[in-house]
Amino acid sequence: MRNMDVCIDKLMECQPLNDIEVWHLCESAREALRKDANVHQVTSPVTIVGDIHGQFHDLLELFRIGGRAPQTNYLFMGDYVDRGYYSVECVSLVVLLKVRHPARVTILRGNHESRQITQVYGFYDECVRKYGNATASVKSFNWRVLDECSGLEAVHRPF
C-alpha cells in the first residue's frame, strides 16, 4: 500500500479512508497477515490493548500515554469495532499500523470481528452510514482481512 503514512495521519485526525484506500489496505493487510505465523512471539516491553469497540478518542489517548508505533510495541487483542461511533476509523488505524510496522504491532481477532456480530452491534450500520453501503467495507475487513487472523495466538517472550 502506497502512502501509508499519509493514511495514518488522515486516520489520526479521525477521518475515514475512502473506498479505494480501504481496498488497498485490506490487500496489504492480507499479504502481511499471511506472512505471520499462527503463533506470534511478542517481545517485551509491550503495550496490550483490548476492547476498543470504536472508541477512537480512547485509542488516541492510549497512543498519547504509551507512545506510537514503532516506538512502542503493541499487542491488540481484538474487538476493534461495534458499540462506539468510530469503529471504521479504529479498525482501519489498527490494521494500517500492523501493515506499516509488522514487527512492532500484533493484531488478534476478537469475537466482534465476525460476520454475525458486526450486523448486530453496529459496525455494519456504521459502514452503511459512512460509505453508502456495507458491502465493500464490512466484507473487506471481516472476510478479507480478519479471517486471515482468525487463528492467531500471541506468546510472550522476555526481552
Side-chain angles (χ1 to χ4, degrees), residues 77-88:
M77 302 291 289
D79 289 355
Y80 315 110
V81 300
D82 294 326
R83 299 186 182 140
Y85 293 112
Y86 302 104
S87 293
V88 167

Side-chain angles (χ1 to χ4, degrees), residues 87-141:
S87 293
V88 167
E89 293 82 359
C90 286
V91 73
S92 298
L93 182 56
V94 169
V95 170
L96 185 54
L97 290 172
K98 168 62 181 172
V99 171
R100 179 69 176 92
H101 309 290
R104 305 287 292 205
V105 175
T106 300
I107 63 173
L108 303 177
R109 179 181 181 170
N111 66 308
H112 279 260
E113 286 77 45
S114 72
R115 300 171 193 183
Q116 298 82 10
I117 299 294
T118 58
Q119 290 186 346
V120 173
Y121 289 99
F123 183 57
Y124 182 91
D125 294 333
E126 181 180 335
C127 289
V128 170
R129 279 193 317 276
K130 291 182 178 176
Y131 292 101
N133 68 64
T135 304
S137 300
V138 173
K139 277 188 180 177
S140 291
F141 284 120

Side-chain angles (χ1 to χ4, degrees), residues 12-117:
M12 292 297 285
E13 296 295 322
C14 200
Q15 298 174 19
L17 301 176
N18 64 42
D19 285 335
I20 294 168
E21 292 167 329
V22 168
W23 188 87
H24 285 291
L25 171 58
C26 291
E27 287 302 307
S28 298
R30 285 180 67 190
E31 184 178 313
L33 291 169
R34 285 183 178 156
K35 292 178 184 175
D36 281 348
N38 283 351
V39 178
H40 289 272
Q41 297 271 333
V42 178
T43 305
S44 295
V46 61
T47 300
I48 301 171
V49 180
D51 295 284
I52 298 167
H53 287 295
Q55 301 297 325
F56 185 78
H57 299 329
D58 291 348
L59 180 59
L60 290 183
E61 183 70 3
L62 287 168
F63 291 141
R64 187 187 69 74
I65 293 168
R68 287 178 58 178
Q71 291 79 23
T72 302
N73 290 324
Y74 278 97
L75 170 58
F76 290 96
M77 302 291 289
D79 289 355
Y80 315 110
V81 300
D82 294 326
R83 299 186 182 140
Y85 293 112
Y86 302 104
S87 293
V88 167
E89 293 82 359
C90 286
V91 73
S92 298
L93 182 56
V94 169
V95 170
L96 185 54
L97 290 172
K98 168 62 181 172
V99 171
R100 179 69 176 92
H101 309 290
R104 305 287 292 205
V105 175
T106 300
I107 63 173
L108 303 177
R109 179 181 181 170
N111 66 308
H112 279 260
E113 286 77 45
S114 72
R115 300 171 193 183
Q116 298 82 10
I117 299 294

